[in-house]
Amino acid sequence: MNLQSRLDSRLWNTISASYENRDYRNAILDSMHFLSQVIRDKTGLDSDGTGLVGEAFGTGTPLLKVTPMQTESDKNIQRGVEAILRGLYHAVRNPRSHGKEPDSLDTADSIILFTNYLIGIIDVSKSPFEQTSFLERICNDPYFPTRDGAFVVLFLNEIPMGKRLDVAIGMFRSKGQIDAERLKTVGRELLGLLTEHEVTQFCEFVSDELKTTRDEEGIRNTLRMTPPEYWKRYAEASARRIEHILIESMRKGKLNRLSGKCVAGAMGTWADELLPHFWNQGDAISTLSRKILSDDEGEQDYVFNYFFDTMIKLMSEPSGRLRVYLQERLKAGDKRFHEALITPGVFGWSEGWGKHFEALYTNFVEAQPTPATSDGIGDDDVPF
């Protein structure tokens, strides 16, 4: 029976090039490198050699348990596996890493087969962190205290550092199965734990989905889970594609003033938090300005309810046409415009928007309101 048929396929794929070239010394080293990687993948550790073995299998509560650790015999087996692994690094890997003595076929077969045996033990060892069960808790635990910030921090601290990116991507893939509030709270807290390099990798993964997805709920969930400041870290083409979807929805947006619900354009309301980061900010602002100028109260109320404060922050002052129209509505006693323009007053009347409306705002007299009519309640899946 040849060696390949007796090995884990992953191990064979790792050593095959050296082994088939009769470079048995490097085949042994390749098997040890693979053994180390199996331990790292299982634990999330990034150390090496006997240090890696000690962190994974040693101490009173090892990261990897090869037995239930209940009886003295269990503990002896755990210590024995740790000692064997340490011995492999001391007696097998290290001498071959520093020396150049060739190994025979028999020696290579014996060591590689024994390494294969140990990999089997590690594969079935129990870890206190298992990604599948961890994601199951996020998705399905009905008693998950999402609003308890201290719990969320403790919960996420269970993830080994080397596994955080994997869990973040797992959450993103499962986003449709996770409660909306939990997705936002846990997802954003988890993303805050990633390294700069891991954030880049995560954003690349998200970009791949955004460049083709047609699933509006999937887009909403992406925006729930990810902070708005990530927007410019996505591939520009992917981000601009989603901006187009949001702006097209904004163009149709209307609000039923009686119900406070969207009649149309709910998808577009998700753009509000992102507007400061938009690539195509000008088109979005122009779209919102046109809606205020439309004389359609449903369109105007849509902007006032979801976007107006953000518009004011992004525009140093209104365009000439918009300024004149807002002044006309204040003179006409339109309470909706008076209420919307409270924001410049908060920022100060002397600059920007405020300087154009202070007198009209201060001397405002409300006209007799016209009863609003209900357009029916439609698309109302908005972010707040």
Side-chain angles (χ1 to χ4, degrees), residues 279-297:
W279 290 96
N280 198 5
Q281 191 180 100
D283 192 15
I285 296 297
S286 295
T287 297
L288 297 172
S289 297
R290 286 194 294 271
K291 295 182 78 63
I292 293 175
L293 294 166
S294 72
D295 284 331
D296 183 314
E297 290 191 359

Side-chain angles (χ1 to χ4, degrees), residues 257 297 300-301 304 308 326 328-342 360-361 364-370:
R257 202 179 345 141
E297 290 191 359
Q300 293 169 342
D301 289 337
F304 291 151
F308 199 62
L326 292 171
E328 289 175 351
R329 297 317 305 158
L330 288 175
K331 290 175 184 177
D334 193 324
K335 184 180 179 181
R336 297 173 306 119
F337 284 76
H338 185 259
E339 290 175 346
L341 284 165
I342 188 65
L360 290 170
Y361 187 90
F364 177 79
V365 178
E366 182 181 356
Q368 185 67 29
T370 302

Side-chain angles (χ1 to χ4, degrees), residues 189-203:
E189 186 73 27
L190 172 57
L191 292 174
L193 299 176
L194 300 185
T195 66
E196 188 69 13
H197 179 62
E198 288 171 336
V199 170
T200 298
Q201 291 179 285
F202 179 81
C203 289

Side-chain angles (χ1 to χ4, degrees), residues 222-291:
T222 298
L223 301 183
R224 280 190 181 102
M225 180 177 172
T226 56
E229 56 268 23
Y230 278 27
W231 196 248
K232 287 287 183 72
R233 301 189 66 156
Y234 301 140
E236 183 176 347
S238 296
R240 283 182 176 273
R241 178 177 179 271
I242 301 304
E243 288 176 16
H244 174 75
I245 293 171
L246 296 174
I247 292 171
E248 286 302 305
S249 178
M250 289 159 58
R251 293 188 205 282
K252 303 171 186 174
K254 288 190 179 186
L255 185 77
N256 182 312
R257 202 179 345 141
L258 286 179
S259 67
K261 301 286 188 178
C262 274
V263 177
M267 185 69 189
T269 65
W270 289 81
D272 182 50
E273 196 178 29
L274 293 176
L275 271 178
H277 309 279
F278 257 34
W279 290 96
N280 198 5
Q281 191 180 100
D283 192 15
I285 296 297
S286 295
T287 297
L288 297 172
S289 297
R290 286 194 294 271
K291 295 182 78 63

